[in-house]
Amino acid sequence: MTLRDYLRDRRLTVAIVLVGGAAVFSQLLLWWLAPAPKVNEFIGPPRSGYTLADFKGFVYGVDGRPSFRVTGPRLDRREGDDSLYIDSPKFELPAKAPGVPDWQGESRYGWVDKSGNLLKLQGPVYMHRPAFGDTPQAELHTSEVTAWPKENRMETAEPAQLTQGASRMSGVGMRANLNDNHLELLDDSHGSFPPRKRKS
């Protein structure tokens, strides 16, 4: 029996082998010539490590004293950087001097880094300090504040207005050190300082 007769008698088997071999060869060729598949770069929103409702939080300095207190209806801790995202925070920045009341404030959103050294307040920011001694109460209206609670410092590039008793100051951009009551308005600053009444 010749090879020709053998192939003729087994045509179906030979056809199946040839088609299978062609399929394997074409698949190998496709893998070799085709570009690498695109990596899916979509990561999605950051996952929350945990969520707290109606929470109270305290950040302490190296001296063991509170440097920042915050409450709010919701707090999310993000996985990866351990930062905190806060809805409608109400906060207190403790005074460093005895007899001086704490600054209290609120904003629309807040963010605190893992170490508690950096605080960002977003949306309208309102702060006030009650009167003490012969110092009248103070109010600060601004937005988008970056603060360092452990140092009692803050700044913003947005318009800011400070009212203390009958005195008014306003400007665009502000730096403030709450330890020594130092306030610096960076641009377009205006002020009104009526004379204080002398004690008789």
Side-chain angles (χ1 to χ4, degrees):
M1 178 181 286
T2 64
L3 178 61
R4 184 176 180 182
D5 293 336
Y6 178 83
L7 294 176
R8 186 185 63 216
D9 292 342
R10 292 171 178 79
R11 279 182 276 185
L12 182 59
T13 304
V14 171
I16 291 173
V17 170
L18 289 176
V19 169
V24 170
F25 178 75
S26 62
Q27 186 63 49
L28 290 173
L29 192 62
L30 179 65
W31 284 342
W32 184 52
L33 296 177
K38 290 184 178 179
V39 177
N40 186 0
E41 297 178 354
F42 177 72
I43 298 173
R47 294 179 57 193
S48 176
Y50 58 77
T51 299
L52 300 177
D54 297 323
F55 73 96
K56 293 182 180 180
F58 303 87
V59 176
Y60 292 86
V62 293
D63 58 359
R65 299 173 61 189
S67 61
F68 179 64
R69 293 185 283 264
V70 61
T71 63
R74 181 183 173 97
L75 175 146
D76 290 284
R77 175 187 171 270
R78 299 298 190 202
E79 289 185 350
D81 63 359
D82 294 337
S83 57
L84 304 177
Y85 293 77
I86 307 168
D87 288 344
S88 304
K90 294 185 177 180
F91 53 90
E92 293 180 12
L93 296 172
K96 304 297 184 183
V100 178
D102 301 340
W103 278 93
Q104 302 173 358
E106 57 190 63
S107 66
R108 186 171 296 156
Y109 302 106
W111 175 88
V112 182
D113 73 340
K114 178 181 179 179
S115 65
N117 290 326
L118 183 63
L119 165 69
K120 289 187 180 288
L121 302 169
Q122 298 175 316
V125 178
Y126 166 71
M127 296 181 62
H128 71 279
R129 184 184 64 191
F132 64 100
D134 61 352
T135 302
Q137 75 166 6
E139 293 185 0
L140 175 65
H141 295 266
T142 186
S143 61
E144 311 303 319
V145 168
T146 300
W148 295 266
K150 294 180 180 180
E151 303 171 27
N152 259 6
R153 292 190 304 115
M154 64 177 57
E155 66 180 36
T156 180
E158 302 300 314
Q161 181 178 27
L162 177 70
T163 303
Q164 187 168 15
S167 299
R168 307 276 189 275
M169 291 185 292
S170 64
V172 177
M174 175 203 72
R175 295 189 190 113
N177 187 323
L178 303 180
N179 290 328
D180 57 11
N181 295 325
H182 179 81
L183 178 76
E184 181 181 1
L185 297 170
L186 305 180
D187 191 26
D188 194 27
S189 57
H190 303 276
S192 172
F193 306 96
R196 298 178 70 175
K197 293 181 179 179
R198 293 183 179 179
K199 293 180 179 181
S200 54

PDB file of all heavy atoms in Angstrom, residues 100-113:
ATOM      1  N   VAL A 100      -6.946  81.729  78.275  1.00  0.00           N
ATOM      2  CA  VAL A 100      -7.404  82.087  76.929  1.00  0.00           C
ATOM      3  C   VAL A 100      -8.309  80.971  76.426  1.00  0.00           C
ATOM      4  O   VAL A 100      -7.913  79.798  76.430  1.00  0.00           O
ATOM      5  CB  VAL A 100      -6.209  82.285  75.966  1.00  0.00           C
ATOM      6  CG1 VAL A 100      -6.707  82.602  74.565  1.00  0.00           C
ATOM      7  CG2 VAL A 100      -5.295  83.381  76.483  1.00  0.00           C
ATOM      8  N   PRO A 101      -9.538  81.293  76.012  1.00  0.00           N
ATOM      9  CA  PRO A 101     -10.440  80.231  75.544  1.00  0.00           C
ATOM     10  C   PRO A 101      -9.996  79.641  74.206  1.00  0.00           C
ATOM     11  O   PRO A 101      -9.235  80.257  73.456  1.00  0.00           O
ATOM     12  CB  PRO A 101     -11.795  80.954  75.415  1.00  0.00           C
ATOM     13  CG  PRO A 101     -11.465  82.393  75.293  1.00  0.00           C
ATOM     14  CD  PRO A 101     -10.170  82.617  76.012  1.00  0.00           C
ATOM     15  N   ASP A 102     -10.479  78.441  73.929  1.00  0.00           N
ATOM     16  CA  ASP A 102     -10.144  77.756  72.684  1.00  0.00           C
ATOM     17  C   ASP A 102     -10.845  78.415  71.497  1.00  0.00           C
ATOM     18  O   ASP A 102     -11.923  78.995  71.626  1.00  0.00           O
ATOM     19  CB  ASP A 102     -10.592  76.281  72.743  1.00  0.00           C
ATOM     20  CG  ASP A 102      -9.943  75.533  73.891  1.00  0.00           C
ATOM     21  OD1 ASP A 102      -8.906  76.006  74.397  1.00  0.00           O
ATOM     22  OD2 ASP A 102     -10.480  74.486  74.269  1.00  0.00           O
ATOM     23  N   TRP A 103     -10.208  78.306  70.338  1.00  0.00           N
ATOM     24  CA  TRP A 103     -10.872  78.652  69.085  1.00  0.00           C
ATOM     25  C   TRP A 103     -11.782  77.492  68.709  1.00  0.00           C
ATOM     26  O   TRP A 103     -11.392  76.325  68.778  1.00  0.00           O
ATOM     27  CB  TRP A 103      -9.856  78.887  67.973  1.00  0.00           C
ATOM     28  CG  TRP A 103      -9.246  80.254  67.974  1.00  0.00           C
ATOM     29  CD1 TRP A 103      -8.097  80.634  68.580  1.00  0.00           C
ATOM     30  CD2 TRP A 103      -9.756  81.409  67.312  1.00  0.00           C
ATOM     31  NE1 TRP A 103      -7.856  81.970  68.349  1.00  0.00           N
ATOM     32  CE2 TRP A 103      -8.866  82.475  67.572  1.00  0.00           C
ATOM     33  CE3 TRP A 103     -10.887  81.668  66.536  1.00  0.00           C
ATOM     34  CZ2 TRP A 103      -9.056  83.752  67.070  1.00  0.00           C
ATOM     35  CZ3 TRP A 103     -11.086  82.940  66.038  1.00  0.00           C
ATOM     36  CH2 TRP A 103     -10.181  83.979  66.310  1.00  0.00           C
ATOM     37  N   GLN A 104     -13.006  77.800  68.318  1.00  0.00           N
ATOM     38  CA  GLN A 104     -13.961  76.792  67.871  1.00  0.00           C
ATOM     39  C   GLN A 104     -14.373  77.120  66.447  1.00  0.00           C
ATOM     40  O   GLN A 104     -14.401  78.294  66.058  1.00  0.00           O
ATOM     41  CB  GLN A 104     -15.186  76.772  68.783  1.00  0.00           C
ATOM     42  CG  GLN A 104     -14.840  76.488  70.237  1.00  0.00           C
ATOM     43  CD  GLN A 104     -16.038  76.649  71.154  1.00  0.00           C
ATOM     44  OE1 GLN A 104     -17.124  77.006  70.711  1.00  0.00           O
ATOM     45  NE2 GLN A 104     -15.831  76.385  72.437  1.00  0.00           N
ATOM     46  N   GLY A 105     -14.670  76.089  65.658  1.00  0.00           N
ATOM     47  CA  GLY A 105     -15.019  76.355  64.272  1.00  0.00           C
ATOM     48  C   GLY A 105     -15.776  75.220  63.625  1.00  0.00           C
ATOM     49  O   GLY A 105     -16.007  74.167  64.230  1.00  0.00           O
ATOM     50  N   GLU A 106     -16.144  75.448  62.382  1.00  0.00           N
ATOM     51  CA  GLU A 106     -16.844  74.444  61.593  1.00  0.00           C
ATOM     52  C   GLU A 106     -16.601  74.703  60.114  1.00  0.00           C
ATOM     53  O   GLU A 106     -16.279  75.826  59.704  1.00  0.00           O
ATOM     54  CB  GLU A 106     -18.341  74.453  61.906  1.00  0.00           C
ATOM     55  CG  GLU A 106     -19.003  75.789  61.685  1.00  0.00           C
ATOM     56  CD  GLU A 106     -20.417  75.828  62.242  1.00  0.00           C
ATOM     57  OE1 GLU A 106     -20.580  75.686  63.468  1.00  0.00           O
ATOM     58  OE2 GLU A 106     -21.349  75.983  61.425  1.00  0.00           O
ATOM     59  N   SER A 107     -16.733  73.661  59.316  1.00  0.00           N
ATOM     60  CA  SER A 107     -16.586  73.783  57.864  1.00  0.00           C
ATOM     61  C   SER A 107     -17.454  72.713  57.204  1.00  0.00           C
ATOM     62  O   SER A 107     -18.063  71.880  57.886  1.00  0.00           O
ATOM     63  CB  SER A 107     -15.123  73.628  57.441  1.00  0.00           C
ATOM     64  OG  SER A 107     -14.664  72.319  57.708  1.00  0.00           O
ATOM     65  N   ARG A 108     -17.492  72.719  55.892  1.00  0.00           N
ATOM     66  CA  ARG A 108     -18.320  71.742  55.177  1.00  0.00           C
ATOM     67  C   ARG A 108     -17.665  70.365  55.146  1.00  0.00           C
ATOM     68  O   ARG A 108     -18.304  69.349  55.361  1.00  0.00           O
ATOM     69  CB  ARG A 108     -18.584  72.229  53.751  1.00  0.00           C
ATOM     70  CG  ARG A 108     -19.562  71.354  52.979  1.00  0.00           C
ATOM     71  CD  ARG A 108     -19.957  72.008  51.675  1.00  0.00           C
ATOM     72  NE  ARG A 108     -20.676  73.240  51.925  1.00  0.00           N
ATOM     73  CZ  ARG A 108     -20.763  74.257  51.051  1.00  0.00           C
ATOM     74  NH1 ARG A 108     -20.146  74.186  49.898  1.00  0.00           N
ATOM     75  NH2 ARG A 108     -21.446  75.336  51.356  1.00  0.00           N
ATOM     76  N   TYR A 109     -16.359  70.342  54.846  1.00  0.00           N
ATOM     77  CA  TYR A 109     -15.612  69.089  54.811  1.00  0.00           C
ATOM     78  C   TYR A 109     -14.266  69.281  55.505  1.00  0.00           C
ATOM     79  O   TYR A 109     -13.756  70.400  55.594  1.00  0.00           O
ATOM     80  CB  TYR A 109     -15.357  68.615  53.372  1.00  0.00           C
ATOM     81  CG  TYR A 109     -16.607  68.414  52.558  1.00  0.00           C
ATOM     82  CD1 TYR A 109     -16.952  69.321  51.565  1.00  0.00           C
ATOM     83  CD2 TYR A 109     -17.443  67.322  52.788  1.00  0.00           C
ATOM     84  CE1 TYR A 109     -18.107  69.154  50.812  1.00  0.00           C
ATOM     85  CE2 TYR A 109     -18.600  67.152  52.050  1.00  0.00           C
ATOM     86  CZ  TYR A 109     -18.928  68.069  51.061  1.00  0.00           C
ATOM     87  OH  TYR A 109     -20.079  67.907  50.330  1.00  0.00           O
ATOM     88  N   GLY A 110     -13.691  68.176  55.943  1.00  0.00           N
ATOM     89  CA  GLY A 110     -12.368  68.220  56.549  1.00  0.00           C
ATOM     90  C   GLY A 110     -11.555  67.005  56.161  1.00  0.00           C
ATOM     91  O   GLY A 110     -12.108  65.947  55.827  1.00  0.00           O
ATOM     92  N   TRP A 111     -10.249  67.166  56.180  1.00  0.00           N
ATOM     93  CA  TRP A 111      -9.313  66.069  55.897  1.00  0.00           C
ATOM     94  C   TRP A 111      -8.155  66.187  56.872  1.00  0.00           C
ATOM     95  O   TRP A 111      -7.626  67.277  57.092  1.00  0.00           O
ATOM     96  CB  TRP A 111      -8.815  66.166  54.461  1.00  0.00           C
ATOM     97  CG  TRP A 111      -7.760  65.159  54.107  1.00  0.00           C
ATOM     98  CD1 TRP A 111      -7.954  63.895  53.642  1.00  0.00           C
ATOM     99  CD2 TRP A 111      -6.338  65.339  54.167  1.00  0.00           C
ATOM    100  NE1 TRP A 111      -6.755  63.271  53.418  1.00  0.00           N
ATOM    101  CE2 TRP A 111      -5.735  64.137  53.736  1.00  0.00           C
ATOM    102  CE3 TRP A 111      -5.519  66.392  54.565  1.00  0.00           C
ATOM    103  CZ2 TRP A 111      -4.361  63.962  53.693  1.00  0.00           C
ATOM    104  CZ3 TRP A 111      -4.143  66.217  54.518  1.00  0.00           C
ATOM    105  CH2 TRP A 111      -3.576  65.019  54.077  1.00  0.00           C
ATOM    106  N   VAL A 112      -7.765  65.067  57.482  1.00  0.00           N
ATOM    107  CA  VAL A 112      -6.657  65.040  58.435  1.00  0.00           C
ATOM    108  C   VAL A 112      -5.683  63.957  57.985  1.00  0.00           C
ATOM    109  O   VAL A 112      -6.102  62.833  57.677  1.00  0.00           O
ATOM    110  CB  VAL A 112      -7.138  64.730  59.872  1.00  0.00           C
ATOM    111  CG1 VAL A 112      -5.969  64.770  60.847  1.00  0.00           C
ATOM    112  CG2 VAL A 112      -8.222  65.710  60.301  1.00  0.00           C
ATOM    113  N   ASP A 113      -4.387  64.286  57.917  1.00  0.00           N
ATOM    114  CA  ASP A 113      -3.410  63.285  57.506  1.00  0.00           C
ATOM    115  C   ASP A 113      -3.183  62.274  58.624  1.00  0.00           C
ATOM    116  O   ASP A 113      -3.671  62.430  59.745  1.00  0.00           O
ATOM    117  CB  ASP A 113      -2.094  63.930  57.059  1.00  0.00           C
ATOM    118  CG  ASP A 113      -1.277  64.482  58.214  1.00  0.00           C
ATOM    119  OD1 ASP A 113      -1.831  64.723  59.295  1.00  0.00           O
ATOM    120  OD2 ASP A 113      -0.071  64.679  58.029  1.00  0.00           O
TER     121      ASP A 113
END
